Amino acid sequence: MAKFLVADDHPLFRQALIGALEPNFESAVVLESDSLDSTLDVLQSNSDIDLILLDLNMPGCENFYGVIRVSQDYPKIPIAVVSASDSTEVISQVLEFGAKAFISKSSPSSQIATAIKSVLAGNVWLPEGMKNKLAQVSDESRDVAKKVSELTPKQFQVLKLLQDGMLNKQIAYDLNVTEATVKAHISAIFRKFGVNTRTQAVLLVEKLQHDI
């Protein structure tokens, strides 16, 4: 019996996904969440989930943080990203961040079921013709995505706050850590990105800022 987690902050779309699952997976158990925090809570309580259907735009999931965090914390549970933003760059990045499939929100139910069955069989699933398009994504974009994917959850949070222009003291307050800890995270980010300043780090990661 399959067990799925549908993670999307729009109730109507969650129901649409569940409707696509029910005819194709008999007796499946479907859990729901509507934010990154609630998704992590469900995952913590259900280690036997077979697949996560994850929206990129839920609260807490900004700038790919949702797929990065979930794939880092639960690497054995496959993620199928479900999004209305289906640019080649976005798809390339979610795969780099650990997703095993990209499903457009405009996909028919039959295609969603096909994608899920493929992932459950241990495959990576993409829309038809997408593999050829991904081959055209620049090496620079892939390299930046790889570096971002290697950040720890705390480092990624610090990076997001750097993008917001926050000072070390503000970041420390926001994350409830010391300024020394913030400086250590920033130094680690600089090393991974091969940069020396905040501005360089922010400019580098902004290469991933597509409309997701």
Side-chain angles (χ1 to χ4, degrees):
M1 181 174 64
K3 192 171 189 178
F4 302 110
L5 171 57
V6 176
D8 193 292
D9 62 330
H10 292 93
L12 289 178
F13 190 74
R14 288 202 306 273
Q15 291 307 308
L17 273 180
I18 293 170
L21 291 170
E22 288 176 341
N24 294 283
F25 300 92
E26 282 190 34
S27 303
V29 174
V30 183
L31 306 175
E32 301 178 49
S33 60
D34 60 4
S35 67
L36 178 59
D37 286 344
S38 61
T39 296
L40 295 174
D41 287 343
V42 173
L43 289 169
Q44 188 173 19
S45 303
N46 297 271
S47 60
D48 57 342
I49 288 174
D50 295 295
L51 178 74
I52 307 164
L53 293 157
L54 180 70
D55 177 41
L56 287 180
N57 291 321
M58 288 190 303
C61 291
E62 297 83 5
N63 299 332
F64 302 103
Y65 183 57
V67 66
I68 292 172
R69 177 68 186 277
V70 172
S71 64
Q72 285 183 341
D73 286 6
Y74 299 92
K76 294 183 179 180
I77 303 178
I79 301 169
V81 166
V82 184
S83 177
S85 303
D86 54 1
S87 73
T88 304
E89 290 81 4
V90 167
I91 295 174
S92 173
Q93 287 153 20
V94 298
L95 292 179
E96 192 68 51
F97 295 146
K100 299 300 181 184
F102 182 93
I103 303 170
S104 172
K105 284 194 172 183
S106 62
S107 300
S109 297
S110 59
Q111 190 175 69
I112 294 174
T114 297
I116 292 171
K117 289 176 181 177
S118 180
V119 173
L120 291 177
N123 303 312
V124 173
W125 187 91
L126 294 170
E128 187 175 353
M130 183 52 64
K131 286 184 179 179
N132 291 334
K133 292 181 180 179
L134 290 180
Q136 300 171 19
V137 175
S138 71
D139 290 339
E140 182 183 26
S141 180
R142 293 178 190 275
D143 182 58
V144 174
K146 185 175 186 300
K147 289 175 179 176
V148 172
S149 71
E150 293 171 349
L151 297 178
T152 66
K154 279 295 185 185
Q155 288 167 358
F156 194 88
Q157 286 180 301
V158 169
L159 179 60
K160 287 170 62 180
L161 297 176
L162 285 180
Q163 287 180 272
D164 292 338
M166 293 178 68
L167 301 174
N168 288 2
K169 182 182 294 186
Q170 295 170 311
I171 295 173
Y173 179 81
D174 198 71
L175 298 182
N176 194 29
V177 297
T178 65
E179 285 190 62
T181 298
V182 172
K183 290 178 181 178
H185 286 318
I186 291 175
S187 295
I189 292 168
F190 286 180
R191 286 196 300 272
K192 287 183 179 180
F193 284 6
V195 299
N196 299 307
T197 68
R198 290 167 172 252
T199 300
Q200 289 174 324
V202 169
L203 288 175
L204 187 66
V205 80
E206 281 180 352
K207 294 180 183 294
L208 300 180
Q209 303 308 304
H210 299 279
D211 182 16
I212 64 170

